[in-house]
Amino acid sequence: MAKVLILGGGTAGLVAGRYLTAEAKRLGIDVDVTMVTASERHYMPPLFMEVALGSAAPHETWAPIKNAEKVYGFKVDIDKVTDIDLANRHVKTESGKVYDYDYLFLGLGVKYVWDKYKGMNEYGYHNFTLDGAVELHEKLFQFKGGKVVIYTPEGPHRCGIYPYEMSLNLRMYFEHRGIEDVEITVVHPDKEPAIGLGPDLIRFFSREMEKARVKFIPNEGHVEITPNKVVTKNAEVEYDLLIKVPPIAIPDVMAFMADDKDPRWAKVKGPDFRYPDYDEVYIVSEASMPPLGLLTAGVPLHNAAIVASTSILHRIHGGYPVAEYAPTLCVGHGYNTGFSGNCEYEWKGNKYKRECYLLFKSPLVRLMKDSFYRGWLDSLRL
Ligand SMILES: Cc1cc2nc3c(=O)[nH]c(=O)nc-3n(C[C@H](O)[C@H](O)[C@H](O)COP(=O)(O)OP(=O)(O)OC[C@H]3O[C@@H](n4cnc5c(N)ncnc54)[C@H](O)[C@@H]3O)c2cc1C
Protein backbone atom coordinates (compact mmCIF):
# COMPACT_ATOMS: atom_id res chain seq x y z
CA MET A 1 0.00 0.00 0.00
CA ALA A 2 1.37 3.41 -0.96
CA LYS A 3 1.96 5.74 1.98
CA VAL A 4 1.21 9.43 1.50
CA LEU A 5 2.36 11.69 4.32
CA ILE A 6 0.84 15.16 4.50
CA LEU A 7 2.60 17.76 6.65
CA GLY A 8 0.40 20.64 7.76
CA GLY A 9 -3.34 20.82 8.41
CA GLY A 10 -4.20 24.16 6.85
CA THR A 11 -6.08 24.76 3.60
CA ALA A 12 -3.56 22.89 1.43
CA GLY A 13 -3.18 19.89 3.77
CA LEU A 14 -6.91 19.49 4.36
CA VAL A 15 -7.76 19.67 0.64
CA ALA A 16 -5.05 17.10 -0.14
CA GLY A 17 -6.16 14.72 2.63
CA ARG A 18 -9.79 14.94 1.62
CA TYR A 19 -9.13 14.57 -2.09
CA LEU A 20 -6.54 11.77 -1.90
CA THR A 21 -8.76 9.71 0.42
CA ALA A 22 -11.96 10.18 -1.59
CA GLU A 23 -10.35 9.61 -4.99
CA ALA A 24 -8.43 6.52 -3.85
CA LYS A 25 -11.71 5.07 -2.59
CA ARG A 26 -13.48 5.86 -5.83
CA LEU A 27 -10.71 4.24 -7.87
CA GLY A 28 -10.53 1.23 -5.56
CA ILE A 29 -6.82 1.69 -4.78
CA ASP A 30 -5.17 1.24 -1.41
CA VAL A 31 -3.55 4.43 -0.22
CA ASP A 32 -2.57 5.15 3.37
CA VAL A 33 -3.03 8.89 3.99
CA THR A 34 -1.62 10.34 7.22
CA MET A 35 -1.46 14.01 8.20
CA VAL A 36 0.96 15.40 10.80
CA THR A 37 0.14 18.92 11.91
CA ALA A 38 1.34 21.08 14.79
CA SER A 39 -1.92 22.71 15.79
CA GLU A 40 -5.15 21.09 16.89
CA ARG A 41 -6.90 23.91 15.07
CA HIS A 42 -7.67 24.14 11.39
CA TYR A 43 -7.98 27.89 10.89
CA MET A 44 -9.83 29.85 8.23
CA PRO A 45 -7.55 32.94 8.29
CA PRO A 46 -9.79 35.28 6.24
CA LEU A 47 -12.13 35.23 9.25
CA PHE A 48 -9.36 36.92 11.29
CA MET A 49 -10.30 40.12 9.45
CA GLU A 50 -13.89 39.64 10.63
CA VAL A 51 -12.64 39.16 14.21
CA ALA A 52 -10.74 42.45 13.96
CA LEU A 53 -13.90 44.16 12.68
CA GLY A 54 -16.08 42.57 15.34
CA SER A 55 -18.26 40.49 13.01
CA ALA A 56 -16.84 37.07 13.98
CA ALA A 57 -15.96 35.67 17.38
CA PRO A 58 -12.49 34.14 17.82
CA HIS A 59 -13.87 30.62 18.30
CA GLU A 60 -15.68 30.85 14.94
CA THR A 61 -12.39 31.02 13.00
CA TRP A 62 -11.30 27.41 13.50
CA ALA A 63 -12.45 23.79 13.81
CA PRO A 64 -10.63 20.75 15.24
CA ILE A 65 -8.52 19.15 12.50
CA LYS A 66 -8.61 15.79 14.32
CA ASN A 67 -12.26 15.56 13.23
CA ALA A 68 -11.03 15.04 9.65
CA GLU A 69 -10.43 11.41 10.69
CA LYS A 70 -14.16 10.82 11.16
CA VAL A 71 -15.42 13.18 8.48
CA TYR A 72 -12.95 12.45 5.66
CA GLY A 73 -11.35 9.15 6.67
CA PHE A 74 -7.60 9.90 6.89
CA LYS A 75 -5.38 9.73 9.95
CA VAL A 76 -4.41 12.95 11.75
CA ASP A 77 -1.56 13.18 14.28
CA ILE A 78 -1.04 16.40 16.21
CA ASP A 79 2.71 16.88 16.42
CA LYS A 80 5.33 19.38 15.30
CA VAL A 81 7.68 18.42 12.46
CA THR A 82 11.27 19.10 13.48
CA ASP A 83 13.26 17.46 10.68
CA ILE A 84 12.64 16.41 7.08
CA ASP A 85 15.13 13.90 5.69
CA LEU A 86 14.38 13.58 2.00
CA ALA A 87 17.28 11.22 1.21
CA ASN A 88 15.97 8.59 3.65
CA ARG A 89 12.28 9.52 3.32
CA HIS A 90 11.98 10.19 7.06
CA VAL A 91 10.14 12.92 8.92
CA LYS A 92 10.87 13.48 12.61
CA THR A 93 8.59 15.18 15.10
CA GLU A 94 8.88 16.93 18.45
CA SER A 95 7.43 13.91 20.28
CA GLY A 96 10.23 11.72 18.89
CA LYS A 97 8.20 9.88 16.26
CA VAL A 98 9.66 9.07 12.85
CA TYR A 99 7.35 8.80 9.85
CA ASP A 100 8.31 7.25 6.53
CA TYR A 101 6.52 7.74 3.25
CA ASP A 102 6.33 6.95 -0.45
CA TYR A 103 4.98 10.38 -1.28
CA LEU A 104 5.37 13.54 0.77
CA PHE A 105 2.95 16.47 0.53
CA LEU A 106 4.35 19.60 2.21
CA GLY A 107 1.57 21.96 3.27
CA LEU A 108 3.37 23.75 6.11
CA GLY A 109 2.29 27.25 5.10
CA VAL A 110 4.69 30.20 5.40
CA LYS A 111 6.38 32.04 8.23
CA TYR A 112 5.85 35.75 8.88
CA VAL A 113 9.10 37.73 8.89
CA TRP A 114 8.13 40.70 11.06
CA ASP A 115 11.70 41.85 11.74
CA LYS A 116 12.69 42.11 8.08
CA TYR A 117 11.92 45.85 7.89
CA LYS A 118 12.95 48.56 10.33
CA GLY A 119 10.16 49.40 12.80
CA MET A 120 7.78 46.70 11.58
CA ASN A 121 8.14 44.51 14.68
CA GLU A 122 7.78 47.40 17.11
CA TYR A 123 4.84 49.36 15.75
CA GLY A 124 1.37 48.68 14.44
CA TYR A 125 -1.25 45.96 14.62
CA HIS A 126 -2.40 43.20 12.31
CA ASN A 127 -4.89 40.42 11.78
CA PHE A 128 -2.61 37.78 10.29
CA THR A 129 -2.97 35.58 13.39
CA LEU A 130 -5.94 35.10 15.67
CA ASP A 131 -4.15 36.79 18.61
CA GLY A 132 -3.25 39.69 16.34
CA ALA A 133 -6.89 39.99 15.24
CA VAL A 134 -8.15 40.11 18.83
CA GLU A 135 -5.65 42.86 19.63
CA LEU A 136 -6.52 44.85 16.51
CA HIS A 137 -10.21 44.55 17.41
CA GLU A 138 -9.48 46.24 20.77
CA LYS A 139 -7.48 49.02 19.09
CA LEU A 140 -10.22 49.66 16.54
CA PHE A 141 -12.84 49.72 19.27
CA GLN A 142 -10.84 52.38 21.16
CA PHE A 143 -10.19 54.42 17.99
CA LYS A 144 -12.23 57.63 17.93
CA GLY A 145 -10.95 59.20 14.72
CA GLY A 146 -7.73 60.22 12.97
CA LYS A 147 -5.35 58.67 10.45
CA VAL A 148 -5.33 54.94 9.67
CA VAL A 149 -2.56 53.56 7.46
CA ILE A 150 -2.57 50.03 6.02
CA TYR A 151 1.05 49.37 5.25
CA THR A 152 2.65 46.64 3.13
CA PRO A 153 6.45 46.63 2.78
CA GLU A 154 6.70 43.91 0.13
CA GLY A 155 4.75 41.54 -2.08
CA PRO A 156 3.67 38.91 -2.77
CA HIS A 157 2.11 38.58 0.68
CA ARG A 158 -0.69 36.41 2.03
CA CYS A 159 -3.87 37.27 0.15
CA GLY A 160 -3.09 39.95 -2.47
CA ILE A 161 -6.42 41.77 -2.09
CA TYR A 162 -6.30 41.97 1.72
CA PRO A 163 -5.04 45.60 2.10
CA TYR A 164 -7.67 46.89 -0.35
CA GLU A 165 -10.51 44.80 1.07
CA MET A 166 -9.54 45.83 4.60
CA SER A 167 -9.50 49.53 3.67
CA LEU A 168 -13.05 49.31 2.27
CA ASN A 169 -14.29 47.28 5.21
CA LEU A 170 -12.76 49.80 7.59
CA ARG A 171 -14.66 52.68 6.00
CA MET A 172 -17.91 50.72 6.47
CA TYR A 173 -16.90 49.78 10.01
CA PHE A 174 -16.28 53.41 11.00
CA GLU A 175 -19.46 54.61 9.28
CA HIS A 176 -21.52 52.02 11.12
CA ARG A 177 -20.02 53.26 14.35
CA GLY A 178 -20.76 56.87 13.41
CA ILE A 179 -17.06 57.85 13.25
CA GLU A 180 -16.70 60.22 10.29
CA ASP A 181 -13.34 61.84 10.90
CA VAL A 182 -11.08 59.05 9.63
CA GLU A 183 -8.47 59.32 6.90
CA ILE A 184 -7.66 55.88 5.46
CA THR A 185 -4.50 55.36 3.38
CA VAL A 186 -3.16 52.19 1.77
CA VAL A 187 0.61 52.20 1.18
CA HIS A 188 1.54 49.23 -0.99
CA PRO A 189 4.24 48.14 -3.49
CA ASP A 190 1.57 47.65 -6.20
CA LYS A 191 1.69 50.47 -8.75
CA GLU A 192 -2.13 50.37 -8.84
CA PRO A 193 -4.53 48.62 -6.45
CA ALA A 194 -4.65 44.82 -6.95
CA ILE A 195 -2.50 45.02 -10.06
CA GLY A 196 -1.91 41.22 -10.11
CA LEU A 197 -5.58 40.62 -10.89
CA GLY A 198 -5.65 42.54 -14.17
CA PRO A 199 -7.44 45.65 -15.51
CA ASP A 200 -11.05 44.79 -14.49
CA LEU A 201 -10.15 44.30 -10.85
CA ILE A 202 -7.79 47.31 -10.79
CA ARG A 203 -10.76 49.38 -11.96
CA PHE A 204 -13.08 47.76 -9.41
CA PHE A 205 -10.81 48.49 -6.46
CA SER A 206 -9.81 51.97 -7.67
CA ARG A 207 -13.47 53.00 -8.00
CA GLU A 208 -14.53 51.45 -4.71
CA MET A 209 -11.60 53.07 -2.91
CA GLU A 210 -12.50 56.42 -4.39
CA LYS A 211 -16.11 56.03 -3.22
CA ALA A 212 -14.89 55.04 0.23
CA ARG A 213 -12.39 57.95 0.31
CA VAL A 214 -9.40 55.65 0.67
CA LYS A 215 -6.12 57.14 -0.50
CA PHE A 216 -3.59 54.92 -2.29
CA ILE A 217 0.17 55.55 -2.23
CA PRO A 218 2.52 53.20 -4.11
CA ASN A 219 5.41 52.10 -1.92
CA GLU A 220 8.70 52.55 -3.78
CA GLY A 221 10.81 51.08 -0.98
CA HIS A 222 10.75 50.83 2.80
CA VAL A 223 12.86 53.22 4.87
CA GLU A 224 11.43 52.94 8.40
CA ILE A 225 8.41 52.96 10.64
CA THR A 226 8.50 55.37 13.60
CA PRO A 227 5.91 55.68 16.42
CA ASN A 228 3.82 58.04 14.28
CA LYS A 229 4.78 57.70 10.63
CA VAL A 230 5.66 55.31 7.85
CA VAL A 231 8.63 56.45 5.80
CA THR A 232 9.18 55.07 2.30
CA LYS A 233 11.56 56.24 -0.43
CA ASN A 234 8.75 58.28 -1.99
CA ALA A 235 6.52 59.30 0.94
CA GLU A 236 6.17 60.09 4.63
CA VAL A 237 2.74 59.10 5.89
CA GLU A 238 1.56 59.95 9.40
CA TYR A 239 -0.65 57.55 11.30
CA ASP A 240 -2.65 57.31 14.52
CA LEU A 241 -3.37 53.63 13.90
CA LEU A 242 -1.08 51.46 11.79
CA ILE A 243 -2.27 48.16 10.31
CA LYS A 244 0.59 46.13 8.88
CA VAL A 245 0.94 43.24 6.40
CA PRO A 246 3.80 40.82 7.13
CA PRO A 247 6.45 39.69 4.66
CA ILE A 248 6.31 35.91 4.14
CA ALA A 249 8.94 33.19 3.58
CA ILE A 250 9.42 29.44 3.47
CA PRO A 251 9.16 27.89 7.00
CA ASP A 252 12.42 27.19 8.87
CA VAL A 253 12.04 23.40 8.80
CA MET A 254 12.00 23.61 4.98
CA ALA A 255 14.74 26.26 4.69
CA PHE A 256 17.05 23.79 2.92
CA MET A 257 14.46 23.61 0.11
CA ALA A 258 14.63 27.36 -0.64
CA ASP A 259 15.09 28.65 -4.15
CA ASP A 260 18.58 30.08 -4.83
CA LYS A 261 17.13 32.92 -6.92
CA ASP A 262 14.77 34.10 -4.19
CA PRO A 263 15.19 32.34 -0.82
CA ARG A 264 11.73 33.46 0.31
CA TRP A 265 10.25 30.76 -1.92
CA ALA A 266 10.61 27.00 -2.31
CA LYS A 267 12.46 25.43 -5.18
CA VAL A 268 9.56 23.93 -7.10
CA LYS A 269 8.79 22.48 -10.49
CA GLY A 270 5.54 22.87 -12.39
CA PRO A 271 2.98 22.09 -13.44
CA ASP A 272 2.34 19.80 -10.45
CA PHE A 273 4.33 21.40 -7.58
CA ARG A 274 7.15 18.84 -7.25
CA TYR A 275 10.43 19.48 -5.49
CA PRO A 276 13.02 19.16 -8.32
CA ASP A 277 15.56 17.00 -6.49
CA TYR A 278 13.07 14.44 -5.16
CA ASP A 279 10.27 13.47 -7.49
CA GLU A 280 8.04 12.02 -4.76
CA VAL A 281 7.98 15.32 -2.84
CA TYR A 282 5.31 17.97 -3.48
CA ILE A 283 5.23 21.49 -2.04
CA VAL A 284 1.90 23.28 -1.87
CA SER A 285 2.03 26.52 0.07
CA GLU A 286 2.31 30.23 -0.57
CA ALA A 287 6.08 29.62 -0.66
CA SER A 288 5.68 27.54 -3.83
CA MET A 289 3.19 29.72 -5.72
CA PRO A 290 5.18 32.82 -6.87
CA PRO A 291 7.93 30.83 -8.64
CA LEU A 292 5.23 29.19 -10.78
CA GLY A 293 3.42 32.45 -11.56
CA LEU A 294 0.52 31.73 -9.18
CA LEU A 295 -1.24 33.89 -6.61
CA THR A 296 -0.64 33.58 -2.86
CA ALA A 297 -4.07 32.92 -1.41
CA GLY A 298 -6.28 30.09 -0.20
CA VAL A 299 -8.37 29.60 -3.34
CA PRO A 300 -5.34 29.21 -5.67
CA LEU A 301 -3.80 26.86 -3.06
CA HIS A 302 -6.95 24.75 -3.05
CA ASN A 303 -6.45 24.20 -6.79
CA ALA A 304 -2.75 23.54 -6.34
CA ALA A 305 -3.47 20.87 -3.71
CA ILE A 306 -5.81 19.07 -6.12
CA VAL A 307 -3.27 19.20 -8.96
CA ALA A 308 -0.52 17.78 -6.70
CA SER A 309 -2.86 15.13 -5.26
CA THR A 310 -3.99 13.89 -8.69
CA SER A 311 -0.34 13.75 -9.73
CA ILE A 312 0.37 11.53 -6.70
CA LEU A 313 -2.61 9.27 -7.50
CA HIS A 314 -1.53 9.12 -11.12
CA ARG A 315 1.81 7.75 -10.06
CA ILE A 316 0.34 5.25 -7.60
CA HIS A 317 -2.41 4.05 -9.91
CA GLY A 318 -0.95 4.63 -13.37
CA GLY A 319 -2.89 6.36 -16.07
CA TYR A 320 -5.00 8.49 -13.78
CA PRO A 321 -5.35 11.80 -15.61
CA VAL A 322 -3.47 14.62 -13.94
CA ALA A 323 -5.78 17.55 -13.27
CA GLU A 324 -4.74 20.76 -14.90
CA TYR A 325 -4.55 23.89 -12.84
CA ALA A 326 -8.18 24.99 -13.19
CA PRO A 327 -9.65 28.50 -13.34
CA THR A 328 -9.99 30.00 -9.88
CA LEU A 329 -12.81 32.14 -8.68
CA CYS A 330 -11.77 35.10 -6.58
CA VAL A 331 -14.28 36.97 -4.50
CA GLY A 332 -13.81 40.09 -2.44
CA HIS A 333 -15.54 42.89 -0.61
CA GLY A 334 -16.02 46.35 -2.00
CA TYR A 335 -17.51 49.41 -0.38
CA ASN A 336 -21.17 48.39 0.13
CA THR A 337 -20.71 45.78 -2.59
CA GLY A 338 -18.47 42.89 -3.63
CA PHE A 339 -17.01 41.31 -6.73
CA SER A 340 -16.59 37.89 -8.19
CA GLY A 341 -13.73 37.46 -10.61
CA ASN A 342 -12.19 34.55 -12.45
CA CYS A 343 -8.55 33.80 -13.22
CA GLU A 344 -7.69 31.41 -16.05
CA TYR A 345 -4.30 29.75 -16.36
CA GLU A 346 -2.19 28.24 -19.09
CA TRP A 347 1.00 26.27 -18.43
CA LYS A 348 3.80 27.81 -20.47
CA GLY A 349 6.65 25.35 -19.87
CA ASN A 350 8.10 26.93 -16.72
CA LYS A 351 5.30 29.15 -15.38
CA TYR A 352 1.56 29.53 -15.44
CA LYS A 353 0.31 32.48 -17.45
CA ARG A 354 -2.64 34.16 -15.79
CA GLU A 355 -5.60 36.11 -17.12
CA CYS A 356 -8.16 37.46 -14.66
CA TYR A 357 -11.44 39.24 -15.32
CA LEU A 358 -14.54 40.47 -13.50
CA LEU A 359 -17.62 38.23 -13.56
CA PHE A 360 -20.08 40.32 -11.55
CA LYS A 361 -20.52 42.87 -8.79
CA SER A 362 -23.03 42.34 -6.04
CA PRO A 363 -23.49 43.14 -2.35
CA LEU A 364 -24.39 39.44 -1.96
CA VAL A 365 -20.71 38.54 -2.40
CA ARG A 366 -20.12 39.53 1.21
CA LEU A 367 -22.70 36.98 2.32
CA MET A 368 -21.33 34.35 -0.12
CA LYS A 369 -17.82 34.75 1.15
CA ASP A 370 -18.80 34.63 4.79
CA SER A 371 -21.05 31.58 4.24
CA PHE A 372 -18.28 29.76 2.37
CA TYR A 373 -15.77 30.23 5.21
CA ARG A 374 -18.22 29.25 7.92
CA GLY A 375 -19.53 26.26 5.91
CA TRP A 376 -15.97 25.05 5.31
CA LEU A 377 -15.32 24.99 9.06
CA ASP A 378 -18.74 23.52 9.87
CA SER A 379 -17.85 20.50 7.72
CA LEU A 380 -15.14 19.70 10.31
CA ARG A 381 -17.43 20.05 13.31
CA LEU A 382 -19.03 16.80 14.44
C1 LIG B 1 -6.27 38.15 6.98
C2 LIG B 1 -6.24 37.14 5.88
C3 LIG B 1 -7.19 37.22 4.86
C4 LIG B 1 -7.18 36.29 3.84
N1 LIG B 1 -8.14 36.37 2.86
C5 LIG B 1 -8.17 35.46 1.87
C6 LIG B 1 -9.16 35.50 0.86
O1 LIG B 1 -10.03 36.37 0.88
N2 LIG B 1 -9.13 34.57 -0.11
C7 LIG B 1 -8.20 33.59 -0.14
O2 LIG B 1 -8.22 32.75 -1.05
N3 LIG B 1 -7.20 33.53 0.79
C8 LIG B 1 -7.18 34.44 1.79
N4 LIG B 1 -6.20 34.38 2.74
C9 LIG B 1 -5.08 33.43 2.57
C10 LIG B 1 -5.39 32.04 3.06
O3 LIG B 1 -5.89 32.07 4.36
C11 LIG B 1 -4.09 31.25 3.02
O4 LIG B 1 -3.63 31.27 1.68
C12 LIG B 1 -4.26 29.81 3.42
O5 LIG B 1 -4.82 29.70 4.69
C13 LIG B 1 -2.89 29.12 3.40
O6 LIG B 1 -3.07 27.75 3.63
P1 LIG B 1 -1.83 26.78 3.90
O7 LIG B 1 -2.41 25.44 4.08
O8 LIG B 1 -0.79 26.96 2.87
O9 LIG B 1 -1.16 27.35 5.21
P2 LIG B 1 -1.70 27.42 6.70
O10 LIG B 1 -3.17 27.64 6.72
O11 LIG B 1 -0.82 28.39 7.40
O12 LIG B 1 -1.43 25.97 7.26
C14 LIG B 1 -0.17 25.51 7.60
C15 LIG B 1 -0.35 24.35 8.54
O13 LIG B 1 0.92 23.79 8.83
C16 LIG B 1 1.03 23.56 10.21
N5 LIG B 1 2.45 23.63 10.55
C17 LIG B 1 3.29 24.67 10.42
N6 LIG B 1 4.53 24.32 10.83
C18 LIG B 1 4.46 23.03 11.21
C19 LIG B 1 5.41 22.10 11.72
N7 LIG B 1 6.69 22.42 11.91
N8 LIG B 1 4.97 20.86 11.99
C20 LIG B 1 3.69 20.48 11.79
N9 LIG B 1 2.76 21.32 11.31
C21 LIG B 1 3.14 22.58 11.03
C22 LIG B 1 0.19 24.64 10.86
O14 LIG B 1 -0.23 24.25 12.16
C23 LIG B 1 -0.97 24.73 9.88
O15 LIG B 1 -1.98 23.79 10.19
C24 LIG B 1 -6.19 35.28 3.80
C25 LIG B 1 -5.24 35.20 4.83
C26 LIG B 1 -5.27 36.11 5.86
C27 LIG B 1 -4.25 35.98 6.96
Side-chain angles (χ1 to χ4, degrees):
M1 188 194 297
K3 280 189 187 175
V4 184
L5 182 63
I6 298 171
L7 304 185
T11 307
L14 177 61
V15 170
R18 224 163 62 181
Y19 191 81
L20 284 162
T21 310
E23 285 297 283
K25 194 169 168 197
R26 189 174 72 79
L27 292 163
I29 50 175
D30 271 345
V31 182
D32 173 283
V33 180
T34 300
M35 172 188 282
V36 180
T37 185
S39 170
E40 288 177 358
R41 297 177 173 190
H42 170 82
Y43 284 109
M44 182 46 79
L47 286 173
F48 298 162
M49 177 163 73
E50 305 303 332
V51 170
L53 297 169
S55 54
H59 70 87
E60 292 175 318
T61 63
W62 62 273
I65 188 67
K66 190 76 180 162
N67 289 351
E69 289 191 339
K70 281 207 179 118
V71 181
Y72 298 114
F74 60 89
K75 192 166 187 309
V76 179
D77 288 348
I78 309 297
D79 208 343
K80 188 175 176 193
V81 173
T82 50
D83 186 55
I84 302 170
D85 177 354
L86 299 182
N88 296 301
R89 295 194 182 177
H90 283 160
V91 168
K92 289 193 189 136
T93 64
E94 205 167 53
S95 74
K97 275 200 192 158
V98 179
Y99 292 82
D100 58 6
Y101 62 82
D102 297 306
Y103 296 93
L104 182 65
F105 181 102
L106 290 155
L108 293 171
V110 285
K111 69 171 180 182
Y112 298 142
V113 199
W114 290 109
D115 57 1
K116 187 165 175 180
Y117 292 96
K118 195 172 172 199
M120 187 97 181
N121 225 356
E122 294 86 342
Y123 307 112
Y125 301 91
H126 69 90
N127 57 228
F128 280 76
T129 61
L130 183 53
D131 288 348
V134 170
E135 198 182 9
L136 178 55
H137 175 66
E138 275 305 305
K139 294 293 156 193
L140 283 169
F141 190 48
Q142 290 155 12
F143 193 75
K144 300 287 179 255
K147 293 175 178 161
V148 179
V149 172
I150 303 174
Y151 179 66
T152 306
E154 72 170 41
H157 50 81
R158 221 166 212 191
C159 190
I161 62 171
Y162 166 80
Y164 310 110
E165 228 185 9
M166 183 60 169
S167 71
L168 299 168
N169 280 330
L170 275 179
R171 178 59 74 203
M172 284 182 70
Y173 169 88
F174 289 125
E175 281 183 358
H176 282 243
R177 292 191 49 213
I179 305 173
E180 285 298 323
D181 176 27
V182 185
E183 205 179 289
I184 304 173
T185 307
V186 173
V187 182
H188 195 285
D190 282 351
K191 288 200 170 64
E192 292 177 279
I195 201 163
L197 290 174
D200 284 2
L201 276 315
I202 294 175
R203 220 166 17 246
F204 173 85
F205 277 110
S206 303
R207 281 182 190 163
E208 293 300 313
M209 286 162 72
E210 198 181 314
K211 271 193 260 168
R213 294 172 287 120
V214 173
K215 198 170 158 196
F216 175 72
I217 301 178
N219 177 1
E220 290 175 11
H222 180 91
V223 176
E224 64 172 340
I225 300 175
T226 74
N228 59 1
K229 63 185 173 186
V230 170
V231 184
T232 67
K233 287 183 183 156
N234 54 310
E236 288 198 12
V237 194
E238 285 181 6
Y239 67 81
D240 300 300
L241 177 64
L242 175 68
I243 299 177
K244 54 192 180 177
V245 177
I248 54 172
I250 191 166
D252 290 340
V253 74
M254 292 172 63
F256 69 97
M257 302 170 97
D259 192 351
D260 301 333
K261 283 185 232 123
D262 189 337
R264 287 179 297 170
W265 315 133
K267 214 194 288 177
V268 69
K269 189 169 78 169
D272 53 1
F273 305 90
R274 286 190 222 187
Y275 182 58
D277 302 339
Y278 291 87
D279 232 22
E280 66 283 7
V281 177
Y282 291 75
I283 308 175
V284 179
S285 77
E286 278 136 333
S288 63
M289 302 295 266
L292 298 182
L294 294 167
L295 296 165
T296 46
V299 176
L301 275 170
H302 186 147
N303 246 353
I306 288 176
V307 172
S309 300
T310 54
S311 175
I312 293 171
L313 286 168
H314 169 75
R315 293 169 68 205
I316 296 171
H317 179 60
Y320 187 83
V322 175
E324 283 185 19
Y325 195 87
T328 50
L329 203 66
C330 55
V331 286
H333 300 166
Y335 179 60
N336 288 323
T337 188
F339 77 87
S340 173
N342 202 35
C343 294
E344 292 182 20
Y345 295 89
E346 199 183 339
W347 179 246
K348 288 285 190 188
N350 65 346
K351 271 191 179 204
Y352 284 98
K353 188 171 163 267
R354 177 173 72 237
E355 194 183 344
C356 304
Y357 47 87
L358 183 68
L359 290 173
F360 62 85
K361 271 169 65 174
S362 165
L364 287 176
V365 171
R366 190 173 286 275
L367 183 68
M368 264 170 64
K369 209 171 162 167
D370 200 56
S371 313
F372 171 78
Y373 294 143
R374 289 170 192 260
W376 178 285
L377 291 176
D378 276 349
S379 74
L380 269 182
R381 293 193 180 108
L382 297 174

